[in-house]
Amino acid sequence: MKLVYKNVDKDGQGTVGLIPEEPEDMWHAYNLISEGDSVRSSTIRKVQSESSTGSSTSSRVRTTLTISVENIDFDTQACVLRLKGRNIEENQYVKMGAYHTLDLELNRKFSLRKQEWDSVSLERIDVACDPSKSADVAAVIMQEGLAFVCLITSSMTLVRAKIDVTIPRKRKGFIQQHEKGLQKFYDNVMQAIIRHIDFDIVKCIIIASPGFVKDQFFEYMIQTAIKTDNKLLLENKSKFVLAHSSSGFKHALKEVLQDPAVTSKMADTKAASEVKALEQFYNTLQTEPAKAFYGKKHVEKACEAQAIETLLISDNLFRCQDVRQRKEYVRLVDTVREMGGEVRIFSSMHISGEQLDQLTGVAAILRFPMPELEEDDSEDELEED
Amino acid sequence: MSRHRNVRSMNYSEEYDGYDDVYGHSVEDDYCVSPSEAAFMYDREGSKNKQKIGAFFQTVSNIAEEHEGEVDSKGSGSDIEEARLQSCIDQVKETLGSSFSIKEIVLSLKKNNFDIEKTINDLLMKRADGELKQETDKKGKAITTPHPQKAQVVSSNQTTVNVTKGFDLAQKDISRLCPTPRSESPGSGRVTPINVQSNENEEKPKHKSYGKDDVLNNYKKDRSGEKEHLYMIVIGHVDAGKSTLMGHLLCALGQVNQKTMHKYEQESRKLGKQSFVYAWVLDETGEERNRGITMDVGKSQFETNSKIVTLLDAPGHKDFIPNMIAGAGQADVAVLVVDATRGEFETGFDYGGQTREHALLVRSLGVSQLAVAINKLDTVNWSKERFDEIIQKLKVFLKQAGFKDNDVAFVPCSGLTGQNLVVKPTQKELIEWYQGPTLIEVIDNFRVSERPILKPLRFSVNDVFKGTGSGFCVSGKVETGSLSVGDKVLICPSREVASVKGLLTDDSPKQVVYAGDQAQVTLSGIEMQNVSVGNIICDPQNPVHVTTKFQARVVIFNIAVPITKGYSVVLHHQSLVEPVIVSKLIAQLNKSTGEVIKKHPRCLTKNTSALIEIQVSRPIGVELYSDCKELGRIMLRVGGATIAAGLITKIL
Ligand SMILES: Nc1nc2c(ncn2[C@@H]2O[C@H](COP(=O)(O)OP(=O)(O)O)[C@@H](O)[C@H]2O)c(=O)[nH]1
Ligand SMILES: [Mg+2]
């Protein structure tokens, strides 16, 4: 993302101009924009015009609109961000207060005005505009009959293709069907790699599986590339890294991201460091359960006691509609930092972020053990049931 | 939880052949499952046995020949005759009910030279003559006279009265099961009618609609005169010699012809893998042979005196445990192979090897009888001390894992030399101290599991492939109920209807297959891509539950990090492998009593028991454990280790 300007006053009110440059930036924008913000951007509007004869024609015009955002919709796979709201600035084609849906576009500037830019939003801009990142990694995580072709960027893990086929098992005297099925499966995975991975951008392609699937597949792919004279694959052969995973399910990516052989090849290690942080939380829970808290109430209590050493929090929590809730989480982040604690904002688009989301979205490793909060919390949870 | 308590509760459930006892005690830390990554690496080329290999090949053919001789001698001897006699008796009883004593039938059969028609006529004539009157009146219509000398077997195998702490889910279930031929009366080879009567009374009303008598009668008719069918899985640490042992066993039984064996020998020599020649019998894919390890469950068949045994050779390597789980779900009994070589047993058992995990897994999957093959004893000079040392260690562990002492047999052997597999050992160092059964005898002595054939159909799909004719085939196990050619069935979770075009068990066509059978089903009326491994084929009138959320009572193994709400794990349910999320920790339970210790615990640590909720990303077909043990069991794995085993208690 490119930062064009930033006018934020002391109270936190102000406008920021940004140009999204790559799909991932849409994700950042999605995390920045909240309901009630106003966004100004160039957009296409369908305009009805009535001619003097009374017949109406509709045409599409490009115009710049400013809307007050009421509804935010993000397509994670396509990376399309769609904002819906009322027009709040006089415009030649669109009446004040009329609804418009604005698709943010790549390489087109938008400006975002907020009543209050809090620390989390400002940090998001810094992260989004950090030019050092964006060394993309691709990962193929597979087992016999199942494969995910993923792109791992700094803040997102995108599944580009999922291959799920049934491979006949080997049976006595009938191994051909098994081997044929396997070959077809490998062909599919190979095609998905060719189709979805941009070798100009991607610096490293991880192939991970249990057992020998990865080796067998890699071997097959290279042999096939030689046979079909596929220059693309052959030239990029050195970018492939083979790694072990316990299964071909997506969540096993977290094992891959803990493998030093893999992380050493990754320029950007946000995904890997999040996995590590969450793992550390679980380890603490194992060894010193009184130093590992999760859930809003528990973590807030720990924060009050100035006990938090590391706060793990999912960006999902900052996207909640409820402004008051967002404020509470922002306050939590700010307080922890003031106390010298470390804050890690997890991307809910990464494997570990997904898991943190499942674990209430917020967890903390404490400096010192604290007594477990008693029953009233579980009562809360009971009501949730 | 004290150790005392554990032991006590285990004794209570001594007689119970269910899963519960696993929950009745704590599996101590050091006995738990946590194979480390290190086990992944092994140095096959450095195998100590290499230099000796050549010498063994000489024995290959010898043993096979010897064996053939033995079969011949048996053929003329008593065994075959006895089997034949048995089958005739069964057929006669089939026709005449049980109003004649076995003795009479046998006499008559012998008189009529095993001609069944004649025998029946003969017997009926006698009856008409009034010769047998007193007998029939006393016995009533439904009681078979069991072999007197085998009658005791019943008590030890079949008791269902149990005081089980922890889960009592299974109890109501068990009485409904149709007892196995073996457990009922080993000689008869089938179910006696009296049991049908009593079972019927205990049936739940919802199953009433089944033509149970018909099914049972047909079952008896179909299967009389056949040897009992046993499904046996071979488990153990990688390189323990499972494939070799079983390959050799098959050779020795004459299941592999000389020509094939010769070919394997040549080819393996060419690849420099001579030591794997027997393993090749089971490891069929090129990949497996090149790497010298089993990757998927290999399947073969052989016969013992009283049984037809389908052998499932499980991969030992931890990455292939999912395949093993699928295999174990289909098995009645297991053979645990351990490598007696000094250091190797220890690796497989103590330091994160698969021995423990496998044993725990099969036990959790419902396998209760185990033969432990103490293999490669040739490498320790057939030392009795070594044998005893290993047994000692294993006994403690297996007991903790929930195996009853009586259900575990230890057999010294060598897969490579073939000692004590099929023929009595000849090695003098071994005969000096061992007079026990050979491996095949132990296998022959296994009991066959119950066959719940009266329950609604449940068939778990383990493989989908193209058949030779039209349609396509699925293979798997009939978990409960029965399935006939022409039946309409429901495939779950997709809930699509298909019809059964053909049935095969062990490559022979069948009209009907029953619970306990592994069958190959030709389906039509449905696209092949709409059926996948892990699907449940069921009775459309009485389908399996399809859900994305359920509760399960789990025991947690020796895990490295605790389980929290939201934990991503891999669910194994029959052949299904599916990523799931532990969506709620409902309660922590007392491992022995099942009492709630704490509601909504923050996390679950190792060796505890809990009630949890599981969320699946797409619907799957499951059953309550109390309704159907077979489909009510689950395993949870993470990062290549099994973290918990459980029973489904509530479907949401
Ligand atoms: N000395 C000796 N070696 C054996 C014996 N059984 C198997 N082996 C060797 O152990 C290795 C592993 O055997 P394999 O059957 O593939 O083991 P699996 O991984 O358990 O199936 C092979 O090199 C065999 O030749 C035995 O009884 N004695
Ligand atoms: Mg093997």
Side-chain angles (χ1 to χ4, degrees):
Chain A
M1 196 107 81
K2 204 155 111 197
L3 181 65
V4 188
Y5 62 87
K6 187 161 106 183
N7 298 322
V8 179
D9 62 26
K10 277 204 290 296
D11 310 330
Q13 195 182 35
T15 309
V16 173
L18 294 160
I19 301 175
E21 293 167 316
E22 49 187 290
E24 193 185 20
D25 291 339
M26 291 301 174
W27 168 251
H28 292 305
Y30 173 51
N31 279 284
L32 274 175
I33 301 169
S34 323
E35 279 153 41
D37 295 352
S38 51
V39 174
R40 179 181 171 82
S41 168
S42 153
T43 181
I44 310 269
R45 176 81 182 184
K46 217 152 95 189
V47 188
Q48 304 267 354
S49 55
E50 226 164 277
S51 70
S52 48
T53 57
S55 67
S56 72
T57 54
S58 87
S59 56
R60 296 155 75 82
V61 295
R62 186 167 272 285
T63 178
T64 299
L65 280 178
T66 308
I67 61 167
S68 167
V69 178
E70 290 181 13
N71 206 315
I72 308 167
D73 189 26
F74 183 64
D75 177 341
T76 50
Q77 292 313 308
C79 284
V80 172
L81 181 59
R82 190 157 282 175
L83 308 169
K84 193 175 162 201
R86 286 177 193 271
N87 179 24
I88 52 169
E89 251 175 45
E90 209 58 66
N91 180 287
Q92 131 183 49
Y93 303 107
V94 186
K95 283 204 274 293
M96 283 290 278
Y99 274 105
H100 182 78
T101 301
L102 215 148
D103 279 356
L104 289 191
E105 293 167 53
L106 283 183
N107 299 316
R108 211 173 270 283
K109 193 190 102 176
F110 71 92
S111 32
L112 171 64
R113 182 176 179 76
K114 278 179 182 294
Q115 288 303 325
E116 190 194 341
W117 284 89
D118 56 38
S119 59
V120 172
S121 306
L122 291 171
E123 184 180 314
R124 173 68 69 172
I125 293 181
D126 291 343
V127 170
C129 299
D130 178 0
S132 70
K133 43 134 210 151
S134 81
D136 284 293
V137 173
V140 182
I141 184 149
M142 63 199 294
Q143 66 188 35
E144 253 182 44
L146 179 69
F148 291 88
V149 177
C150 310
L151 281 181
I152 305 173
T153 68
S154 174
S155 49
M156 301 176 93
T157 300
L158 297 171
V159 177
R160 279 293 170 234
K162 176 185 176 187
I163 295 110
D164 188 358
V165 297
T166 303
I167 297 175
R169 285 182 202 273
K170 64 164 194 181
R171 290 175 301 135
K172 207 146 190 62
F174 294 94
I175 51 168
Q176 302 92 323
Q177 270 198 43
H178 169 79
E179 287 179 346
K180 231 163 96 192
L182 205 56
Q183 186 182 332
K184 213 168 131 202
F185 168 65
Y186 288 160
D187 276 331
N188 288 342
V189 179
M190 188 171 149
Q191 286 313 314
I193 290 178
I194 295 170
R195 198 158 350 109
H196 294 289
I197 296 179
D198 183 345
F199 286 92
D200 291 338
I201 298 174
V202 169
K203 303 285 181 299
C204 161
I205 301 139
I206 304 159
I207 299 180
S209 82
F212 306 107
V213 179
K214 53 182 185 295
D215 313 80
Q216 225 181 343
F217 166 70
F218 184 62
E219 172 76 22
Y220 179 84
M221 184 175 72
I222 295 302
Q223 289 308 323
T224 315
I226 292 171
K227 248 186 265 160
T228 57
D229 199 27
N230 186 323
K231 295 241 165 47
L232 187 67
L233 285 175
L234 293 175
E235 277 163 14
N236 288 288
K237 188 177 164 186
S238 62
K239 286 187 183 170
F240 287 89
V241 183
L242 306 194
H244 178 264
S245 68
S246 67
S247 75
F249 298 116
K250 201 179 120 198
H251 75 244
L253 256 183
K254 79 172 181 207
E255 297 162 25
V256 180
L257 294 177
Q258 279 173 304
D259 182 346
V262 169
T263 43
S264 68
K265 297 250 180 177
M266 294 173 72
D268 183 286
T269 50
K270 182 160 160 44
S273 69
E274 285 175 9
V275 170
K276 209 157 140 196
L278 192 61
E279 201 59 28
Q280 202 193 337
F281 171 79
Y282 274 100
N283 283 331
T284 312
L285 196 58
Q286 168 75 18
T287 53
E288 290 175 279
K291 281 173 72 178
F293 275 28
Y294 69 85
K296 185 160 177 257
K297 204 172 252 169
H298 286 224
V299 172
E300 274 174 347
K301 275 268 164 25
C303 183
E304 270 167 36
Q306 309 193 2
I308 298 183
E309 187 170 73
T310 313
L311 177 72
L312 318 178
I313 189 164
S314 164
D315 58 15
N316 199 17
L317 295 178
F318 302 108
R319 288 198 304 270
C320 58
Q321 265 102 328
D322 187 341
V323 183
R324 192 179 50 87
Q325 279 219 15
R326 177 181 164 111
K327 278 204 173 121
E328 281 171 14
Y329 286 121
V330 172
R331 196 178 321 125
L332 182 65
V333 168
D334 291 344
T335 318
V336 170
R337 285 205 171 119
E338 275 161 30
M339 306 294 172
E342 187 192 359
V343 175
R344 286 175 168 277
I345 299 181
F346 278 49
S347 166
S348 49
M349 285 296 286
H350 275 323
I351 298 298
S352 45
E354 275 177 29
Q355 190 174 336
L356 184 60
D357 273 343
Q358 292 291 339
L359 185 70
T360 69
V362 56
I365 302 170
L366 311 189
R367 291 179 222 273
F368 47 82
M370 274 181 66
E372 204 177 308
L373 299 180
E374 271 325 313
E375 293 309 313
D376 54 322
D377 295 84
S378 4
E379 298 299 317
D380 279 4
E381 277 193 53
L382 270 180
E383 281 162 32
E384 270 175 44
D385 298 352
Chain B
M1 223 178 305
S2 77
R3 221 175 237 257
H4 300 285
R5 156 115 47 90
N6 303 335
V7 172
R8 208 177 331 129
S9 67
M10 204 147 74
N11 286 338
Y12 281 137
S13 52
E14 196 77 334
E15 292 300 330
Y16 174 56
D17 175 38
Y19 182 47
D20 300 16
D21 35 1
V22 177
Y23 289 82
H25 61 89
S26 81
V27 179
E28 299 299 325
D29 301 15
D30 47 342
Y31 293 117
C32 273
V33 184
S34 169
S36 76
E37 297 281 334
F40 190 31
M41 310 315 296
Y42 51 92
D43 177 15
R44 185 171 290 274
E45 299 312 317
S47 167
K48 305 141 209 72
N49 316 317
K50 240 183 162 178
Q51 68 277 30
K52 296 191 208 155
I53 296 299
F56 292 143
F57 286 109
Q58 212 48 50
T59 38
V60 175
S61 46
N62 287 346
I63 287 170
E65 273 161 27
E66 249 173 63
H67 166 72
E68 270 170 16
E70 192 201 28
V71 164
D72 284 342
S73 74
K74 277 194 175 168
S76 58
S78 60
D79 277 357
I80 286 202
E81 199 164 296
E82 192 174 279
R84 181 167 160 214
L85 180 63
Q86 199 56 61
S87 89
C88 291
I89 295 173
D90 291 342
Q91 268 174 285
V92 173
K93 285 205 282 194
E94 197 60 55
T95 320
L96 295 181
S98 305
S99 18
F100 297 91
S101 79
I102 292 203
K103 217 162 148 197
E104 284 159 346
I105 299 174
V106 172
L107 276 174
S108 181
L109 273 169
K110 289 208 167 137
K111 201 168 83 193
N112 293 296
N113 206 9
F114 294 99
D115 185 317
I116 291 163
E117 283 296 306
K118 279 192 197 149
T119 309
I120 291 171
N121 285 336
D122 187 43
L123 285 167
L124 287 174
M125 291 271 280
K126 274 197 202 165
R127 163 71 56 81
D129 294 349
E131 275 183 81
L132 290 159
K133 248 179 205 142
Q134 351 79 291
E135 177 76 27
T136 43
D137 291 343
K138 251 183 277 159
K139 290 270 170 178
K141 58 174 164 41
I143 300 168
T144 359
T145 315
H147 280 214
Q149 81 275 26
K150 280 170 182 165
Q152 313 94 294
V153 181
V154 175
S155 63
S156 64
N157 294 341
Q158 210 220 328
T159 325
T160 55
V161 192
N162 49 353
V163 187
T164 327
K165 291 190 169 188
F167 287 172
D168 53 3
L169 291 164
Q171 295 182 12
K172 54 186 162 194
D173 190 71
I174 199 160
S175 53
R176 230 178 33 223
L177 296 167
C178 179
T180 60
R182 190 110 195 114
S183 61
E184 186 55 34
S185 160
S188 81
R190 64 192 166 98
V191 181
T192 48
I194 184 89
N195 271 292
V196 183
Q197 308 289 328
S198 63
N199 282 343
E200 194 159 15
N201 298 336
E202 286 161 37
E203 276 288 319
K204 278 190 186 168
K206 70 170 180 183
H207 300 143
K208 275 275 183 206
S209 61
Y210 279 76
K212 284 189 300 282
D213 283 344
D214 297 348
V215 174
L216 261 186
N217 286 335
N218 285 337
Y219 172 66
K220 281 184 289 171
K221 213 181 297 162
D222 281 6
R223 298 299 160 91
S224 64
E226 264 180 27
K227 288 186 181 179
E228 298 159 342
H229 212 135
L230 187 76
Y231 293 91
M232 182 176 89
I233 186 158
V234 186
I235 55 172
H237 189 67
V238 64
D239 269 3
K242 299 178 292 297
S243 301
T244 304
L245 186 71
M246 291 303 142
H248 204 142
L249 192 81
L250 290 172
C251 280
L253 287 167
Q255 295 290 319
V256 187
N257 67 38
Q258 294 285 312
K259 214 171 100 204
T260 316
M261 213 50 222
H262 186 70
K263 199 180 94 200
Y264 289 167
E265 221 177 292
Q266 299 277 312
E267 284 174 12
S268 62
R269 200 192 320 257
K270 236 184 278 162
L271 281 169
K273 308 234 180 230
Q274 293 164 49
S275 68
F276 290 97
V277 57
Y278 288 114
W280 277 25
V281 174
L282 290 142
D283 296 347
E284 285 186 287
T285 60
E287 190 71 10
E288 290 179 315
R289 289 182 178 175
N290 288 335
R291 303 201 187 264
I293 74 168
T294 311
M295 284 153 66
D296 202 348
V297 176
K299 205 167 164 184
S300 335
Q301 203 173 62
F302 62 86
E303 288 190 30
T304 66
N305 285 341
S306 68
K307 293 190 178 64
I308 301 173
V309 182
T310 298
L311 172 79
L312 309 161
D313 180 32
H317 196 290
K318 76 176 205 139
D319 273 358
F320 305 112
I321 283 183
N323 292 336
M324 196 211 98
I325 293 176
Q330 321 248 313
D332 301 311
V333 298
V335 174
L336 172 64
V337 181
V338 299
D339 184 346
T341 312
R342 277 181 222 291
E344 291 300 322
F345 167 73
E346 286 71 14
T347 311
F349 186 65
D350 291 327
Y351 314 114
Q354 272 82 57
T355 311
R356 288 162 192 271
E357 182 171 19
H358 280 193
L360 272 172
L361 276 177
V362 293
R363 187 65 196 89
S364 304
L365 288 162
V367 172
S368 61
Q369 302 174 77
L370 189 70
V372 184
I374 315 289
N375 193 32
K376 303 200 193 179
L377 270 178
D378 55 303
T379 65
V380 292
N381 217 359
W382 306 98
S383 152
K384 177 173 182 345
E385 287 67 42
R386 181 64 175 160
F387 179 74
D388 290 340
E389 179 193 351
I390 291 173
I391 288 192
Q392 196 108 76
K393 287 193 184 161
L394 282 173
K395 262 195 177 149
V396 181
F397 164 68
L398 291 174
K399 190 161 179 132
Q400 302 246 355
F403 288 98
K404 282 165 241 157
D405 278 349
N406 291 342
D407 286 340
V408 182
F410 295 91
V411 191
C413 62
S414 165
L416 205 54
T417 66
Q419 284 292 312
N420 206 29
L421 300 187
V422 174
V423 280
K424 287 284 178 194
T426 51
Q427 193 79 31
K428 74 171 193 309
E429 293 92 332
L430 178 61
I431 337 180
E432 267 168 22
W433 56 270
Y434 186 77
Q435 284 83 37
T438 58
L439 185 59
I440 201 86
E441 284 166 352
V442 170
I443 294 170
D444 192 48
N445 276 329
F446 277 133
R447 303 182 306 274
V448 176
S449 316
E450 295 99 351
R451 292 176 162 237
I453 56 178
L454 292 182
K455 293 198 189 176
L457 169 72
R458 302 287 182 259
F459 177 100
S460 55
V461 176
N462 181 38
D463 194 4
V464 182
F465 53 93
K466 282 198 197 75
T468 39
S470 64
F472 65 97
C473 299
V474 299
S475 72
K477 185 177 174 191
V478 185
E479 304 288 349
T480 59
S482 62
L483 181 62
S484 316
V485 173
D487 279 359
K488 283 254 181 293
V489 291
L490 197 67
I491 316 286
C492 283
S494 68
R495 293 199 173 99
E496 285 201 54
V497 178
S499 37
V500 176
K501 281 282 164 263
L503 291 166
L504 283 179
T505 57
D506 307 310
D507 300 325
S508 65
K510 290 269 154 58
Q511 279 306 306
V512 193
V513 292
Y514 301 96
D517 287 344
Q518 310 232 356
Q520 185 173 316
V521 183
T522 309
L523 291 176
S524 71
I526 183 170
E527 293 286 313
M528 183 163 165
Q529 58 263 35
N530 293 342
V531 182
S532 46
V533 173
N535 284 175
I536 309 288
I537 296 178
C538 54
D539 177 356
Q541 254 71 55
N542 225 322
V544 68
H545 295 272
V546 173
T547 183
T548 56
K549 213 189 240 182
F550 59 86
Q551 286 182 5
R553 216 161 149 170
V554 294
V555 269
I556 293 153
F557 293 168
N558 189 18
I559 47 176
V561 295
I563 300 171
T564 58
K565 173 181 168 162
Y567 209 53
S568 301
V569 300
V570 177
L571 170 82
H572 289 254
H573 177 255
Q574 287 297 339
S575 300
L576 181 80
V577 185
E578 192 73 19
V580 299
I581 287 171
V582 177
S583 45
K584 254 175 218 160
L585 310 181
I586 299 166
Q588 175 131 28
L589 307 175
N590 180 313
K591 253 184 126 167
S592 304
T593 62
E595 271 168 57
V596 173
I597 300 174
K598 189 170 194 289
K599 275 192 176 168
H600 297 279
R602 286 199 310 141
C603 64
L604 302 172
T605 49
K606 61 182 173 187
N607 306 327
T608 56
S609 175
L611 188 62
I612 61 173
E613 182 188 278
I614 289 172
Q615 172 85 52
V616 195
S617 54
R618 55 182 179 187
I620 61 170
V622 293
E623 290 274 21
L624 293 176
Y625 182 75
S626 55
D627 286 343
C628 176
K629 279 204 236 177
E630 293 75 10
L631 296 182
R633 284 199 185 92
I634 56 163
M635 310 276 334
L636 301 178
R637 307 192 82 235
V638 152
T642 307
I643 59 161
L647 312 177
I648 298 172
T649 53
K650 192 170 172 186
I651 294 168
L652 301 164

